[in-house]
Structures are given as C-alpha cells and as structure tokens.
Amino acid sequence: GAVVSQHPSWVICKSGTSVKIECRSLDFQATTMFWYRQFPKKSLMLMATSNEGSKATYEQGVEKDKFLINHASLTLSTLTVTSAHPEDSSFYICSARDLPSGSKDTQYFGPGTRLTVL
Amino acid sequence: DQQVKQNSPSLSVQEGRISILNCDYTNSMFDYFLWYKKYPAEGPTFLISISSIKDKNEDGRFTVFLNKSAKHLSLHIVPSQPGDSAVYFCAASEGEKLTFGTGTRLTIIP
C-alpha cells in the first residue's frame, strides 16, 4: 500500500523559533497534499491543501504567513510553523493523494508530528 | 461549527459481538463518506467508504450504512476482534476536502 512519511515525528522548540515539518509520499506521486492539525480529544482539522507547483489553499482562520506550506515536488510537501508560540503546540498530520485519477479513498495519511513549543 | 459529529467518545464491546459506531452530519453537500481507524501516535488508515448514492457498503467484517434523510451513518464491525481496539473517525467529503468527526474510542474486551 501507499506510504506517507513525516519528519520529525516529534519536536520541542522554544517560543519564537520556526519549525519545519516534512511530508513525503514514498512510493507514489502526490499531486495534492493536505495538512491537518489535531488538538487533544478533538477531530482532525484541515489547515490547508497544497498542490505541486502552486500556492497552497488555506482554510478559513488559518494564518498563511504563520503556517508556510511548500509543495516543491510530487513527493514532498513541507509545513513551516514560523515564530512558534505555545498555542501552536499540537499534533500535525499530513496526507497525500494519489494522481488525479485516484478515487476519493486514495488519501494516505502520515504518522503525524507532535510539536511542543515551550 | 462541527459539521460531522460522533456523539459517543468511547464504546466497549465484548469480543465476538457487534460493534456499532455512529456518525451524524449537517452539511447536505457532502457526497462521500469514509471511516478511518487510528492508533495512538499514528496517522489514520482508511477502512471503508460509501457514496451518497448508496445506502450500504460491505467489506468483510465491516459494513457502513448511510441514511441520507437522517444525515446519519454507522459502521458495523462483526465479529469484533481485540485488534479492532482503536479510535475510529468518520469523515465526510465535499470535493476533495475531508471533514472529520471527533472520533470514538472502541475497546474490545476479550
């Protein structure tokens, strides 16, 4: 089956620093990648949709200047949390979608990245 | 505004019995529904899905039922096995965007 990896799996940083999270599709090309955020005991909230070679589409309420998304290739998308603050601490999950011909089922999730901002 | 709701945060079921997980939604524009299973510190894995033009889809031990008029779907697992213990999320799709419910933690009691 399709595999999506995320790196790092967890990160602790100081307030005010920036953190980059990578999402890679390992054995397929992903024209579309999604970034989600999950608060404790809450659902996964879609933050943004990124398409290879174009700007990401952000959901309402998500600051695009704070959460920078770059989908530079068909196998890699990065999320950079800029000037992180404690309220940015969360579990960030990416997913990657197979080529456009894929069905709606073909959205594969990474293992997630736990971010803790001190 | 929670468009997809799972009102039971947890459920315990005896091994071998049927597990029924429920999900309600409010957006009538959703046209595809999915169930995901999630273990701690892992991403969700796809289980089963159903299109809005159907009312039932079955795959092995898993069956999803959709009641469009009630805006309700359910996941039946039978027989339940210890390995089914996990958090289950329902999700609804409008276009390529998925909206997730809050999850139900299923515990299968041996």
Side-chain angles (χ1 to χ4, degrees):
Chain A
V3 178
V4 175
S5 69
Q6 276 184 246
H7 178 80
S9 55
W10 60 270
V11 57
I12 301 173
C13 69
K14 292 183 178 180
S15 185
T17 61
S18 294
V19 175
K20 180 186 283 189
I21 302 170
E22 292 185 350
C23 177
R24 292 182 185 273
S25 57
L26 297 185
D27 50 3
F28 68 100
Q29 292 182 323
T31 54
T32 305
M33 288 185 170
F34 304 86
W35 286 96
Y36 294 84
R37 181 175 179 177
Q38 184 183 22
F39 293 99
K41 299 183 180 180
K42 298 287 186 183
S43 65
L44 283 74
M45 302 297 293
L46 179 65
M47 298 175 65
T49 302
S50 74
N51 294 294
E52 187 263 339
S54 64
K55 290 184 178 180
T57 302
Y58 290 81
E59 295 300 303
Q60 191 174 11
V62 178
E63 299 176 59
K64 61 181 180 181
D65 294 330
K66 180 161 188 65
F67 298 100
L68 300 178
I69 291 171
N70 187 342
H71 193 159
S73 76
L74 285 172
T75 59
L76 173 65
S77 176
T78 59
L79 167 68
T80 302
V81 184
T82 61
S83 187
H85 291 283
E87 57 266 30
D88 298 325
S89 298
S90 192
F91 193 59
Y92 293 87
I93 303 176
C94 73
S95 70
R97 185 152 179 196
D98 212 333
L99 293 175
S101 59
S103 71
K104 285 180 183 283
D105 301 342
T106 53
Q107 190 174 137
Y108 304 102
F109 286 81
T113 297
R114 169 80 54 198
L115 170 64
T116 301
V117 184
L118 302 177
Chain B
D1 177 32
Q2 190 72 30
Q3 295 187 64
V4 180
K5 298 180 183 179
Q6 292 174 258
N7 292 318
S8 298
S10 64
L11 175 68
S12 294
V13 175
Q14 203 78 31
E15 181 180 359
R17 306 294 289 268
I18 183 171
S19 296
I20 300 177
L21 297 100
N22 294 301
C23 180
D24 297 291
Y25 62 96
T26 58
N27 187 346
S28 57
M29 299 301 291
F30 289 140
D31 59 358
Y32 203 78
F33 303 89
L34 308 93
W35 282 94
Y36 287 85
K37 179 179 180 180
K38 185 180 182 299
Y39 293 113
E42 293 184 12
T45 55
F46 169 75
L47 269 180
I48 192 170
S49 62
I50 188 168
S51 165
S52 60
I53 62 173
K54 295 186 175 181
D55 56 18
K56 177 183 175 182
N57 187 26
E58 190 173 350
D59 183 4
R61 296 186 299 115
F62 303 93
T63 304
V64 56
F65 295 92
L66 174 63
N67 182 333
K68 280 188 66 178
S69 60
K71 293 191 174 67
H72 176 85
L73 66 154
S74 61
L75 173 68
H76 292 209
I77 306 173
V78 57
S80 300
Q81 299 173 354
D84 296 330
S85 295
V87 177
Y88 289 78
F89 289 93
C90 67
S93 169
E94 182 180 2
E96 63 179 6
K97 175 182 169 180
L98 287 180
T99 302
F100 283 83
T102 50
T104 297
R105 180 175 300 280
L106 175 65
T107 303
I108 304 303
I109 304 165

